[in-house]
Amino acid sequence: MGNQPSRSDGAADVQRALARSEARLAGMLEITPAATVAVDADQRIVLFNDMAEQVFGYTREEVLGRPLDVLLPPETAARHRQHVTRFGLGPVRQRRMAERQELTARRKSGELFPAQIAIARVAMDDETLFLAVVQDLTERKETERRLKESEERFRLAFEHAPIGVALLDAGGAILEVNRALCAMLGYAPAELAGRPLTDLAAHPGAFPDPAHLQSAGPAPEVALRHRDGRTIWAQLSCAALNGWQSDTAFILQLQDITDRKRYEEELVRLAMVDSLTDLANRRRFQQELEEAVTEAERTGRSGALVFIDLDMFKHINDTLGHPAGDEVLRQVATILRSAIRPGDTAARLGGDEFALVLRNADGARAAQVADRLLTAIRRARFGGAEAPVSLTASMGVVLFPEHGRSVRELMNRADMALLEAKEGGRDSWAPFTPEGRWQREMQAQLLWRQRISRALEEDRFVLHYQPILDLRRNAVTRHEALLRMVGDGGELIFPGEFMAVAERFDLIQQVDRWVLERAVRELAELQRAGRRTVLEVNLSGRTLMDPVLPAVIRRGLTLRDVDPASLVLEITETAAISDVDQAERFIGEMKALGCRLALDDVGAGFASLYFLKRLPVDYIKIDGAFIRNLPHDTADQHLVRALASVCRELGKQTVAEFVDSPKTLQVVREYGIDYAQGYLIGRPGPGVYNTEEPCP
């Protein structure tokens, strides 16, 4: 009996066991990675672990023994007390977490924060504890709020985007569409939902796979089919939405570019079409001719090129006006279109020049087309019912590849044939024949054109300078710059051999600009050397019409710091006649710049007195035909004396050309001429004479 434990010893064992149990519970709570709070039946805090201190901001000593209400706002505390009381009723059957709820908790600072608690009931002997595992939901709630806002922004952006937007599943089926896409294609949202994206394509295979749309290449452009059958062009861009409703989806943007595509197509059309006649323009014509020649060489079947030029068309513009001329060109275009077959090309090359490219056409077919066109143009009445006019045309025909295999060669030979038709009396057509007289002459001109182009490229022009004598000072004060070409053997070629060709093939403006640039450079070098002179430079009539010429002259003088008064620009009387208004404008611009102007070859035309009055030139150069025989020809004497008198009254100075003898020089002095130029004064040479020195 003495070895049996007493009743008091048993109670002590129980207390020690309970203490160990509470210690183990407290130890477990300390290492729990979640904030854990234990309250007794009176809902006073009995355990408060380290994580709870971090979450609530209290130390353990500050809260132990205090009501749970210290951790809750008043409105939450009452509800929670009732809940714990209800939860604590009945016997304890399990020790696991029994219930979770979200509520608002309060930190020591007074800050309220969202929390989730999981409550468990623990029975220890006769005492029941309630454990609450608290999770701070602040970050999660903030994340949820941001996610909700992001989803709302996405929804608003999706729905109200100004361009079409669609959500696609991984297979390319439509999940959702926005208003803009529905408006673009004419469908209701329900009509598009669930349909494959490819159903919207105007052509099979137009849509690439959505995954391929994410590549870094240029955004593809596709043709879509509107509900009413129209074609709508869209530019696509695509991005993946991973995790969209637990699956991969794509967001597709469709920018309506229909208007832009139409504009681009119109630009392409305008770049290839003559705006007045709606025929192919020169660029398109050359492409079509090149393709036709290639096709003829491949198939062994010939084709034909027809050049068409309207006879005396300038007369219509001059008498009826340019609007009437434009209407004539449109009517001729209609006739040309009616004369060709599908696959052939009718083009307007410029002005009143037209061309046809006839595919699969031999000489007989080309002759048939040319004859039919001549008849149709001859019989037509142009210009409308009020003032109908008749027209004829001249045509040149070449065959390819028989007469040439390049666009340039064929066009040159068609031009030769056209010139032969005009020389033959117009209202006719002529085939190209290698032995034809006009072809030989044109071939010679083409060779000269090549020489002129090569001389410009290789700087094979030079200027020679002929002195001009000031008769009052009896000294050379100026020179005329005269152009020479250097031949392959070093020989000098005079302008009479090549200037007409330069005019014919539109090279004259380049030649005149070269002369101007070289003359200004010579003036600059003379000024730097202390030798001042005046240079006279001739301009052709075609260069005179160049709208950018004044700017070119101004830039050259400014760049080299040359006095504009040292440059005299000569224009011929015949050039001024061709466009008096343009000549007057040019002279006015040059005089405003400070240059001086001379009217050359006066007397050679038929309107000298008119130009003397109207054009504000500084010098009048009397044509050499009236000076050469001046000492012996009474008529020339009367004319020159009268011209000198009129010029003095108008304040213009005169220059006598072709002064080749002392007797001629004496006569022009007697008539009051201001300057003399000719072989007696000096022949043209590569350098200028010493100026301001008496003439020998």
Side-chain angles (χ1 to χ4, degrees), residues 122-188:
V122 179
M124 300 183 65
D125 271 350
D126 295 332
E127 184 178 15
T128 299
L129 298 181
F130 296 91
L131 295 181
V133 178
V134 181
Q135 182 181 359
D136 187 344
L137 300 181
T138 303
E139 291 186 6
R140 195 184 82 181
K141 290 293 185 179
E142 178 63 19
T143 301
E144 291 176 351
R145 183 188 66 79
R146 291 179 179 176
L147 179 60
K148 183 177 181 181
E149 288 181 355
S150 176
E151 290 177 348
E152 183 63 23
R153 285 195 299 270
F154 171 81
R155 179 58 54 190
L156 289 173
F158 177 86
E159 189 58 34
H160 298 286
I163 63 174
V165 184
L167 286 177
L168 311 176
D169 65 16
I174 297 172
L175 299 172
E176 293 185 51
V177 293
N178 70 345
R179 299 175 186 175
L181 184 58
C182 291
M184 184 192 307
L185 299 178
Y187 291 96

Side-chain angles (χ1 to χ4, degrees), residues 492-601:
L492 292 180
I493 303 171
F494 286 76
E497 296 190 57
F498 61 81
M499 289 300 279
V501 176
E503 292 260 7
R504 170 73 177 80
F505 291 104
D506 293 327
L507 293 170
I508 191 63
Q509 292 180 356
Q510 297 179 55
V511 172
D512 280 355
R513 288 191 185 186
W514 185 94
V515 172
L516 279 166
E517 192 278 332
R518 190 56 55 92
V520 170
R521 186 200 302 178
E522 180 71 18
L523 284 169
E525 292 174 355
L526 289 170
Q527 286 181 185
R528 284 195 296 271
R531 300 175 59 194
R532 304 190 67 83
T533 190
V534 173
L535 290 186
E536 298 184 0
V537 175
N538 293 280
L539 297 179
S540 73
R542 200 169 284 189
T543 298
L544 192 65
M545 307 308 161
D546 183 355
V548 302
L549 181 61
V552 171
I553 296 173
R554 182 183 301 108
R555 184 167 55 251
L557 292 171
T558 303
L559 181 64
R560 298 189 180 275
D561 194 25
V562 170
D563 180 8
S566 63
L567 181 65
V568 177
L569 302 171
E570 292 187 14
I571 59 176
T572 64
E573 183 183 55
T574 51
I577 289 173
S578 66
D579 193 332
V580 181
D581 293 333
Q582 177 61 25
E584 193 170 20
R585 282 193 296 271
F586 175 77
I587 292 171
E589 287 187 71
M590 291 298 95
K591 287 180 72 68
L593 180 61
C595 297
R596 288 178 284 183
L597 280 296
L599 190 63
D600 198 12
D601 297 339

